[in-house]
Amino acid sequence: MNSAKEVLLNKPENGDAKCVNNQQQSKKDKDVLAIDCEMVGIGQRSALARVSIVNSKGETIYDKFVKPRGKVTDYRTRVSGIRPQDIANGELFAIVKTEVHQIVKQKILVGHGLEHDLVVLELNHPLHLIRDTSTYWNVKENTKVRKPSLKLLASRLLGVSIQDGEHSSVEDAKVALQLYMMVRKDWENRFIKKSSLS
C-alpha cells in the first residue's frame, strides 16, 4: 500500500485535452481549502493545539501550534502527536482564530468531522460552503458505515495508509482534500440539486 505522501505528490497529469477551461478551473480551485486540527485535553473539554490548512493543490498554506487557554491535562500525544514543547511557544489562540477566519472566509472548506474543528476554533462557517468527507453520501455508500474514519476512507478509496500512530493535521487535511477532489463534480452537482429543491 502506498503512503499518503506518495499518492498526494504523484498525482497523474490531466493531459492537454482537459486544459481548455484551465483559467475557469483555476479560479474554482482557489475557492477550495482543506483544514484539520489537533487537540489536547483541558479538563473535560478539548482545546486547539495545532491547525493546518492546505490549498486545492495540496500545498500547506497555514500550519501553526497554538498555546491552549488553560492548563493541559492530557496532551493525547499517542493520537494528536502534540508534545509540551510544541505548544509551549505556540501562537495565541485569539491570533490563530483571526488568521484562520480571514483565510477560510468565503471559501469551500473541506475536512473530516469538520464540526469538531470549527468548535475548537470557535468559528462559524456557512453551511453551504462546508464539504465534510465523513458525511458525503457516496463515501458512506462505499464504506457501508454511517460515519467512516478518515483512516478507513484513505485506505479504501485512495489506497493509502495514514494515522499509523500519531496523527498529522497536515496529512489529514491533504487526504480529506483528495477525497473531495476525486468526487468533486458529482458532489457539487448533488449539492446544487439539493439546494434548488430546498
Side-chain angles (χ1 to χ4, degrees):
M1 182 176 285
N2 295 324
S3 70
K5 188 174 183 180
E6 288 173 331
V7 169
L8 292 167
L9 296 181
N10 295 303
K11 293 184 287 185
E13 295 297 324
N14 290 332
D16 294 338
K18 295 183 180 179
C19 293
V20 179
N21 296 318
N22 260 2
Q23 207 168 23
Q24 185 178 6
Q25 187 62 44
S26 179
K27 184 180 183 303
K28 287 181 181 178
D29 287 347
K30 288 179 182 177
D31 292 333
V32 176
L33 298 173
I35 191 170
D36 189 70
C37 297
E38 299 298 345
M39 305 161 203
V40 292
I42 293 182
Q44 297 300 310
R45 67 182 180 87
S46 293
L48 181 66
R50 183 184 181 186
V51 55
S52 306
I53 302 173
V54 301
N55 63 19
S56 62
K57 295 178 181 178
E59 300 165 337
T60 305
I61 62 170
Y62 189 89
D63 184 28
K64 283 193 177 181
F65 288 103
V66 185
K67 186 174 290 185
R69 298 171 299 171
K71 185 178 180 180
V72 177
T73 54
D74 186 358
Y75 285 92
R76 304 174 183 173
T77 305
R78 186 176 61 84
V79 174
S80 71
I82 301 296
R83 291 171 171 77
Q85 60 267 31
D86 294 328
I87 57 178
N89 297 309
E91 187 65 86
L92 294 175
F93 175 82
I95 292 174
V96 171
K97 177 182 175 179
T98 299
E99 290 175 342
V100 171
H101 175 71
Q102 290 302 316
I103 293 170
V104 305
K105 190 176 181 181
Q106 313 240 335
K107 305 288 187 182
I108 288 176
L109 195 59
V110 178
H112 193 85
L114 269 173
E115 71 273 17
H116 304 298
D117 298 315
L118 293 174
V119 165
V120 294
L121 282 163
E122 296 182 4
L123 292 180
N124 291 314
H125 200 70
L127 192 59
H128 72 279
L129 293 176
I130 289 177
R131 304 294 183 270
D132 193 326
T133 56
S134 72
T135 59
Y136 176 57
W137 75 271
N138 194 37
V139 165
K140 289 189 292 184
E141 182 178 75
N142 283 343
T143 59
K144 311 297 185 201
V145 293
R146 188 163 178 244
K147 280 197 176 184
S149 68
L150 187 62
K151 181 179 177 69
L152 178 63
L153 296 181
S155 176
R156 292 195 182 181
L157 302 180
L158 299 177
V160 298
S161 178
I162 65 169
Q163 300 177 348
D164 294 325
E166 297 174 8
H167 294 200
S168 163
S169 49
V170 170
E171 181 179 61
D172 289 355
K174 288 184 177 184
V175 168
L177 175 71
Q178 281 288 94
L179 290 167
Y180 168 73
M181 287 300 192
M182 73 183 289
V183 292
R184 179 182 184 179
K185 184 176 180 181
D186 181 71
W187 194 337
E188 293 304 324
N189 285 341
R190 287 179 176 273
F191 190 88
I192 291 169
K193 184 177 180 181
K194 183 179 178 181
S195 297
S196 65
L197 289 174
S198 60

